[in-house]
Amino acid sequence: MCDVCGCGHDHVHENRAVVSDDSTRRVVEIKKSLLDENERIAEVNRKHFDEKGVLAVNLISSPGSGKTTLLEKTIEALKGEFKIGVLEGDIETERDAERVRAKGAYAVQLTTGGACHLEAPLVHKGFHALEKQMNGGAPDILFIENVGNLVCPSSFYLGEHVRVVLVSVPEGPDKPAKYPKAFKTSNIFIITKSDLIPYFDFDVEKVKREALSLNPNLKVFVLSAKTGEGLEEWFNYLKELVRRKKGGK
Amino acid sequence: MHETSIALSLLNSLSELAEKERAKEVTKVRVRIGKLSGIVVDSFVFAFNALKPDYPKLGRAELLVEEVPSRYRCLDCGNEFEVETIYFPECTRCRSVNLKLISGEELEVVDVEIEV
Ligand SMILES: Nc1nc2c(ncn2[C@@H]2O[C@H](COP(=O)(O)OP(=O)(O)O)[C@@H](O)[C@H]2O)c(=O)[nH]1
Ligand SMILES: [Mg+2]
Ligand SMILES: [Zn+2]
Ligand SMILES: [Zn+2]
């Protein structure tokens, strides 16, 4: 049984060896990651998602980069075709869950208690709450809007299939250099608010190049939720990912 | 501030370990933290020490941190070198940016000393 909530998923046990032994003091060799507990539950989440055919997408950015706005547009465009679920972890904007629900998604607001990132156990609970909201069903796409922060969320795997890092044009072009880990651990990089490019010193090609030098496998999108520029490509890519998920394995 | 939640999760697993090993108390824990791990060592140690009194067998546990520098190997000239910066590093010999990270992302518990 899964000790997260008893939902029936097994977990791996740690392996360790006793290396030295004197009468009262003993050193126990551990050799495991400090993030082990989180990773273990993330793997349980991943299994949940796979069994239910859910494509899980973890969105990471600073506060205000446009995650919720992009989700609103995405839900409007894809809700006819797919069931969409959202876990809202952003503590900056308590009402994000309502915003995306109003567009036709199922949504659960996660309360991190002030934490600066989401962790796998909370996502686990949130996903079960979402399933309940859907009367036992599961979404085709699960968006997890992480807490607005470019540092901490990148250390915590949640069980997602796809990790997206977003940077908005007004935030400036130095984000890849300053937050390399977010870019190294992501699969997709989205430059948002492209309608503002004329007003800011933001060299799109240079930012792309820097991001790709950190992680050559990044798929890059440049888009504006306001004008609609670039949205179609993003939608099509998501559709393709869902198709692969359903058809693939 | 995710140092606090990592410290908490470490304390919880030490507590479990103490139970399993029937230890009177945990006296030492050694961890390795890489420069690129995203953990601020001081905050981590502070959180660990601030929270440990809440755990019956951990009140005197000493946290020993080994900080691991970031080391790269240059894929063009084979040079191996350490860097301080987390920004775009380049080879100290040929200035290539075609590098492979060898160490610096560690975030692990090495061993634990217990009193039985
Ligand atoms: N100009 C412009 N503003 C946008 C765009 N997308 C979002 N915004 C604005 O950016 C602000 C923050 O957006 P929000 O989606 O709440 O960001 P989040 O914190 O990442 O979820 C809001 O005032 C949005 O209206 C865009 O494409 N262009
Ligand atoms: Mg938001
Ligand atoms: Zn469960
Ligand atoms: Zn070199």
Side-chain angles (χ1 to χ4, degrees):
Chain A
M1 289 290 265
C2 137
D3 62 354
V4 183
C5 67
C7 66
H9 286 274
D10 285 330
H11 57 81
V12 280
H13 285 272
E14 58 184 282
N15 45 1
R16 49 191 175 67
V18 176
V19 285
S20 84
D21 215 340
D22 66 40
S23 54
T24 61
R25 290 223 165 155
R26 222 143 49 85
V27 174
V28 184
E29 195 180 324
I30 306 277
K31 279 280 179 207
K32 72 172 190 182
S33 164
L34 277 164
L35 299 172
D36 198 63
E37 184 59 15
N38 183 73
E39 310 254 301
R40 186 172 68 71
I41 296 167
E43 288 305 336
V44 175
N45 291 349
R46 172 75 171 228
K47 226 159 116 193
H48 263 118
F49 300 149
D50 285 341
E51 282 170 7
K52 307 254 161 138
V54 177
L55 174 77
V57 181
N58 181 4
L59 304 170
I60 295 178
S61 83
S62 317
S65 296
K67 296 182 292 302
T68 311
T69 311
L70 180 60
L71 285 182
E72 290 175 315
K73 295 287 176 194
T74 307
I75 293 159
E76 273 176 357
L78 301 185
K79 71 179 167 195
E81 219 169 316
F82 304 121
K83 278 177 285 178
I84 301 178
V86 182
L87 299 180
E88 275 296 347
D90 198 336
I91 45 171
E92 300 291 320
T93 42
E94 282 289 328
R95 297 186 1 182
D96 283 0
E98 278 165 42
R99 280 173 61 188
V100 295
R101 231 178 263 138
K103 297 293 175 190
Y106 298 90
V108 170
Q109 182 84 43
L110 304 176
T111 322
T112 61
C116 49
H117 60 275
L118 289 177
E119 291 181 18
L122 189 59
V123 166
H124 190 96
K125 277 192 226 153
F127 185 66
H128 281 318
L130 194 73
E131 288 176 309
K132 213 165 152 197
Q133 198 181 101
M134 300 177 71
N135 295 316
D140 300 304
I141 311 179
L142 175 72
F143 290 108
I144 305 169
E145 179 172 341
N146 220 305
V147 179
N149 178 344
L150 267 178
V151 186
C152 311
S154 48
S155 296
F156 293 86
Y157 174 48
L158 304 175
E160 73 268 20
H161 301 99
V162 180
R163 186 177 286 190
V164 184
V165 56
L166 304 91
V167 172
S168 67
V169 166
E171 288 170 71
D174 59 353
K175 291 293 175 289
K178 280 195 174 152
Y179 305 99
K181 191 154 184 186
F183 291 84
K184 280 185 178 173
T185 62
S186 289
N187 312 93
I188 297 176
F189 171 31
I190 303 182
I191 298 173
T192 60
K193 310 191 189 181
S194 64
D195 55 291
L196 299 176
I197 290 173
Y199 312 101
F200 287 87
D201 221 358
F202 192 99
D203 183 341
V204 172
E205 290 312 314
K206 182 153 176 273
V207 174
K208 270 195 206 172
R209 236 182 0 257
E210 291 194 345
L212 288 169
S213 82
L214 289 167
N215 179 358
N217 299 318
L218 275 177
K219 171 94 187 146
V220 185
F221 294 91
V222 182
L223 53 80
S224 164
K226 190 164 178 180
T227 64
E229 182 197 0
L231 287 182
E232 212 48 45
E233 286 149 53
W234 162 244
F235 299 153
N236 288 336
Y237 190 71
L238 273 175
K239 286 185 203 172
E240 178 56 31
L241 288 179
V242 178
R243 225 169 281 136
R244 260 192 255 162
K245 177 97 198 109
K246 304 270 184 201
K249 28 167 191 145
Chain B
M1 282 312 291
H2 58 305
E3 286 78 5
T4 307
S5 55
I6 294 175
L8 263 175
S9 129
L10 174 60
L11 287 162
N12 286 330
S13 64
L14 289 176
S15 204
E16 270 173 37
L17 178 82
E19 287 310 316
K20 228 181 294 175
E21 302 289 332
R22 298 170 197 281
K24 284 203 211 76
E25 66 175 337
V26 173
T27 45
K28 264 184 205 147
V29 51
R30 284 202 299 149
V31 302
R32 283 160 53 85
I33 298 181
K35 262 253 154 43
L36 299 174
S37 68
I39 291 285
V40 180
V41 173
D42 287 346
S43 313
F44 179 61
V45 174
F46 177 81
F48 182 90
N49 289 328
L51 296 166
K52 71 184 179 185
D54 292 346
Y55 295 76
K57 293 178 174 178
L58 307 181
R60 296 194 299 168
E62 187 186 358
L63 176 62
L64 302 171
V65 179
E66 180 193 341
E67 289 186 67
V68 186
S70 36
R71 273 189 82 76
Y72 291 87
R73 180 181 305 118
C74 174
L75 295 176
D76 290 329
C77 78
N79 181 26
E80 277 191 19
F81 57 98
E82 274 177 27
V83 287
E84 279 300 317
T85 168
I86 60 165
Y87 305 143
F88 301 107
E90 51 182 43
C91 175
T92 49
R93 189 156 71 200
C94 74
R95 309 205 59 184
S96 163
V97 291
N98 191 11
L99 309 173
K100 183 171 167 34
L101 186 68
I102 311 171
S103 75
E105 289 186 317
E106 292 78 358
L107 200 55
E108 61 184 21
V109 187
V110 181
D111 56 27
V112 178
E113 186 189 79
I114 55 179
E115 181 94 38
V116 286

